[in-house]
Amino acid sequence: MSILSELNSLLDALGIPVETGVFSGVPPDEYLVITPMTDTFEVFADNRPRHEVQETQLSLFAKGNYMTLKNQVVKALLDADFAVTDRRYIGHEDDTGYHHYAIDVAKEYEVKEE
């Protein structure tokens, strides 16, 4: 399991259009873009990593009031055991008409030996 696959499943279930990296095609009035940020080994035993923390940034774009969607996404993330490490309003993009709000999330995964 990876943070990208979990986030895609979670956000698809909420009915929010989501893509990784950049939104392709004509974007709707509300959508999310997932940007992978880091994959770090946090816990070691016998010089081998046992757990990996994966972090991503969710960029929420909305042409109208984004607060309801932001709250819905954050609640779903917390309910699914994601750590929300940062939330911030990035700004209004005057050229596109979208508000941009960023939500940083992290989750720990056990490293599987092949």
Side-chain angles (χ1 to χ4, degrees):
M1 185 65 65
S2 73
I3 196 168
L4 292 176
S5 62
E6 279 197 72
L7 286 171
N8 276 303
S9 295
L10 176 70
L11 298 169
D12 281 344
L14 292 176
I16 303 166
V18 60
E19 292 196 27
T20 301
V22 66
F23 201 89
S24 59
V26 178
D29 286 350
E30 296 179 336
Y31 66 96
L32 288 160
V33 173
I34 303 171
T35 305
M37 293 178 10
T38 63
D39 301 319
T40 57
F41 295 128
E42 295 290 329
V43 179
F44 291 84
D46 296 329
N47 295 325
R48 304 288 299 173
R50 298 292 182 214
H51 296 270
E52 174 182 51
V53 176
Q54 298 178 15
E55 296 181 73
T56 64
Q57 182 172 82
L58 300 176
S59 292
L60 183 153
F61 294 93
K63 288 200 171 182
N65 186 334
Y66 63 91
M67 295 298 290
T68 300
L69 180 58
K70 174 200 74 155
N71 292 336
Q72 178 186 16
V73 169
V74 169
K75 181 182 182 330
L77 290 166
L78 294 172
D79 288 348
D81 294 326
F82 285 91
V84 176
T85 59
D86 191 33
R87 301 180 303 160
R88 68 183 62 221
Y89 183 73
I90 304 301
H92 184 265
E93 298 176 352
D94 293 335
D95 57 332
T96 64
Y98 286 98
H99 291 279
H100 181 184
Y101 191 88
I103 304 166
D104 293 354
V105 297
K107 195 160 191 181
E108 183 178 303
Y109 297 90
E110 184 175 346
V111 175
K112 303 282 186 196
E113 300 252 352
E114 299 291 324

